[in-house]
């Protein structure tokens, strides 16, 4: 069976063609070794922090090749960043092989002059070692012959290190294996918790932590790597300052007896004794949600690094926290929290204020009274992040997540259960939230146990092709069984099909309309306890969204919906994500008027009152707009008749499909009843409520598509993109 080894290639980008030739030969090596080559341009993805990536690869390397050329020797980055680390590793046993690809004054470099350079052939006249380029270009037969000879030498060196060199090989192989796992553990610690430290200090401290942990647990090899994973997870879950070297040192010092670290010490000892750290349980309190949100980037780095450095790491689709997380209490709500405006812009008000100013037309064009009102309502509604109901339409096909925590987005996480019942609903959570309507509330206090996972790794779009997870009985519904003629091949793990409405949980760097704000997901393992107390508090918006339009159909397509203000046209429906830009360019949010209250949806008494409050607030606001319509709108629009269409709400999707978990008193029903008692009948007739004679249940496709709650995440993302664009334009000025 092949053994994986890691080769780091240091080169100048001016020598890309030569690097490609060397890498091609390296990748031909297999059995008894399988070479994994690290080259920066292939391994550093868009958005990655490139320096930590390179440092991690340097720390993981079993062998380093230096492609020597004048460009290599003159590179400040190579000379000041890569070489010092490689030479420091060489003192600890790393094999470093310089390969001269273009004639260079390498003999004048002290450390190079003391190192055996390849190829070894000397020029008969000058007696200098010849560079590969002196034998021909990178595709020539002569150059490929020299590279083949070099590969044979490298295979021998790596094979010897792996235990294929005679007596004592097994012992050396075991020692090398322990060193590889120790190095991987140090890399994981450095990449996750020691990002604030620099260079060699970070590597040295990481090595010291791993060594002390190994001594404490009396572990080495793969077991030590697992212990380090638990140590890192514990810091991220419970430490007040997980990235502080001093705090890490205090935790290590406290393992022998301090109360602050005794739980961690107990789990480490138990895992070492049983040889299984995956059964470890870390208990967390209500601060867990806030800390998880604050440390989301650290968790992303953790999962990414485990995948890259662990020798026997599970596929990304199966990677989760090693420990089980027991959340003492939190509220489960059948809704999805759309990213808030301030969260998206990292609490920077300047982009929001800039966008607000651009929303108001110049006085010479219009008074701007309606635009001021609309922009204020829209931005205030978005500030902390509204939640949308879970629907039964196409946008919600596949698995879906609930909201779990204590309300706004800084105190909640998406909660997903993989195991479904025969109706396609989460087996444990489905019945739990179905009972909420009868109790007159929309959230319930629950204690549960689960594991954190990185959404883009294991969640995907419904309909993705792929095979099921091997040995996972809970994924039988992912694909239909098909007759296959490749049944002897190893099954490729696939991602779980996820609702398109929750694209932010799985998109990663995917569709442009999907914001990447909810990558961290809690996967349910068990519900430990339900709390039936009703005098509790879970904060969420109750909201109603109105499209302000004209009282006649759109002239270009009567079936699309009502005519928009100022003769604005509906954009053509996007057939794919790349066409979404034309919807963003239409700026459909400019005619949306949200009305909302911050409510306690876990207390039936408070919720009943606040439902009626948001309906009354709606009518008060709309009535003022109606009475001032001559001031607010163009004369042609006023003459045609101003209408207020309820397009969706916090418990109504507006897409012509029923929500999956209806409320006891839907807001559209309360609004319709209240309008029956409205004294101003002209105003009452201008408020169009779904299900009335003026707006049948079969929704026009423009309302159902562009303005339903199921598509609100896309519309909100369009607005975020617009704000980003305005801010970039302002910066250029």
């Amino acid at each position: 069976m092949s053994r994986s080894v890691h080769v780091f290639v240091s080169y100048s980008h001016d020598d890309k063609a030569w690097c490609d030739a060397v890498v091609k030969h390296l990748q031909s090596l297999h059995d008894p070794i399988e070479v994994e080559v690290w080259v920066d341009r292939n391994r550093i993805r868009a958005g990655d922090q490139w320096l930590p990536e390179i440092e991690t690869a340097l720390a993981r390397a079993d062998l380093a090749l230096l492609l020597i050329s004048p460009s290599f020797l003159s590179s400040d980055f190579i000379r000041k960043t890569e070489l010092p680390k490689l030479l420091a590793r060489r003192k600890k046993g790393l094999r470093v092989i310089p390969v001269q690809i273009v004639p260079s004054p390498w003999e004048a470099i002290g450390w190079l002059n003391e190192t055996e350079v390849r190829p070894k052939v000397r020029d008969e006249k000058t007696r200098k070692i010849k560079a590969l380029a002196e034998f021909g270009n990178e595709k020539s037969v002569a150059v490929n012959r020299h590279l083949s000879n070099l590969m044979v030498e490298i295979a021998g060196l790596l094979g010897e290190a792996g235990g294929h060199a005679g007596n004592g090989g097994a012992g050396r192989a075991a020692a090398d294996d322990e060193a590889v796992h120790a190095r991987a553990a140090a890399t994981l610690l450095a990449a996750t918790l020691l990002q604030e430290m620099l260079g060699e200090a970070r590597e040295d401290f990481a090595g010291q932590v791993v060594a002390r942990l190994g001594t404490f647990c009396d572990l080495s090899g793969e077991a030590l790597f697992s212990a380090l994973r638990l140590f890192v997870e514990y810091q991220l879950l419970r430490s007040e300052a997980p990235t502080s070297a001093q705090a890490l040192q205090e935790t290590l010092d406290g393992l022998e007896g301090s109360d602050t670290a005794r739980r961690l010490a107990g789990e480490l000892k138990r895992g070492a004794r049983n040889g299984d750290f995956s059964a470890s349980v870390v208990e967390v309190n209500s601060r867990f949600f806030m800390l998880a949100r604050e440390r989301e980037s650290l968790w992303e780095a953790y999962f990414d690094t485990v995948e890259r450095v662990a020798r026997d790491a599970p596929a990304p689709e199966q990677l989760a926290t090693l420990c089980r997380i027991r959340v003492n209490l939190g509220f489960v709500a059948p809704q999805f929290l759309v990213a808030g405006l301030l969260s998206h812009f990292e609490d920077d008000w300047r982009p929001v204020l800039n966008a607000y100013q651009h929303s108001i037309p110049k006085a010479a064009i219009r008074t701007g009274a309606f635009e001021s009102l609309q922009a204020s309502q829209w931005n205030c509604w978005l500030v902390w992040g509204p939640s949308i109901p879970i629907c039964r339409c196409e946008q919600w096909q596949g698995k879906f997540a609930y909201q779990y925590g204590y309300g706004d987005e800084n105190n909640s996480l998406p909660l997903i259960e993989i195991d479904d019942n025969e109706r396609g609903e989460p087996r444990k959570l489905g019945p739990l939230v179905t009972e909420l309507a009868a109790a007159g509330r929309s959230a319930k206090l629950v204690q549960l146990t689960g594991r954190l996972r990185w959404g883009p790794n294991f969640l995907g779009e419904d309909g993705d092709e792929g095979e099921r997870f091997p040995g996972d009985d809970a994924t039988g519904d992912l694909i239909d069984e098909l007759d296959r003629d490749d049944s002897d091949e190893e099954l490729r793990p696939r991602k779980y099909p996820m609702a398109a409405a929750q694209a932010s949980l799985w998109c990663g760097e995917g569709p442009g309309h999907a914001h990447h704000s909810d990558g961290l997901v809690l996967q349910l393992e068990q519900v430990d306890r339900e709390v039936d107390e009703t005098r509790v508090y879970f904060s969420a918006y109750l909201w109603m969204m109105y499209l302000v339009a004209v009282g006649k159909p759109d002239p270009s397509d009567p079936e699309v919906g009502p005519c928009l203000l100022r003769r604005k046209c509906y954009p053509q429906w996007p057939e794919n994500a790349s066409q979404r830009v034309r919807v963003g360019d239409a700026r459909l949010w400019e005619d949306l008027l949200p009305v909302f209250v911050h409510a306690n949806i876990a207390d039936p008494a408070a919720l009943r009152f606040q439902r009626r409050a948001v309906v009354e607030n709606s009518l008060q606001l709309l009535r003022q707009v109606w009475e001032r319509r001559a001031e607010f709108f163009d004369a042609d629009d006023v003459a045609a008749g101003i209408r207020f269409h309820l397009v969706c709400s916090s418990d109504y999707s507006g897409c012509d499909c029923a929500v999956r978990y209806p409320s006891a008193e839907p807001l559209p029903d309360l609004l319709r009843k209240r309008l029956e008692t409205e004294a101003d009948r002209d105003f009452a007739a201008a408020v169009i409520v779904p299900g009335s004679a003026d707006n049948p249940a079969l929704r026009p496709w423009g309302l159902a598509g562009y303005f339903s709650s199921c598509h609100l995440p896309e519309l909100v993302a369009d607005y975020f993109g617009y704000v980003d664009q305005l801010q970039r334009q302002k910066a250029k000025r």
Side-chain angles (χ1 to χ4, degrees), residues 410-430:
N410 292 326
N411 284 290
S412 295
L413 284 174
L415 174 66
I416 188 167
E417 181 181 2
I418 297 300
D419 191 14
D420 290 344
N421 59 24
E422 61 280 359
R423 297 186 302 277
E425 294 184 339
R427 189 173 299 278
K428 302 181 182 70
L429 293 175

Side-chain angles (χ1 to χ4, degrees), residues 3 134 153 254-255 315 392 397 469 484 522 571 646 654:
R3 180 176 63 87
E134 294 180 87
E153 181 182 1
L255 289 176
R392 295 184 181 274
Q397 295 307 302
F469 287 103
R484 293 169 52 92
L522 182 63
L646 179 66

Side-chain angles (χ1 to χ4, degrees), residues 48 52 78 134 162 259 340 359 469 472 541 636 671 682 692 729:
D48 283 348
I78 293 174
E134 294 180 87
D259 288 341
S359 301
F469 287 103
D472 191 344
Y541 280 143
D636 290 345
L671 176 61
D682 290 339
S692 69
Q729 292 172 352

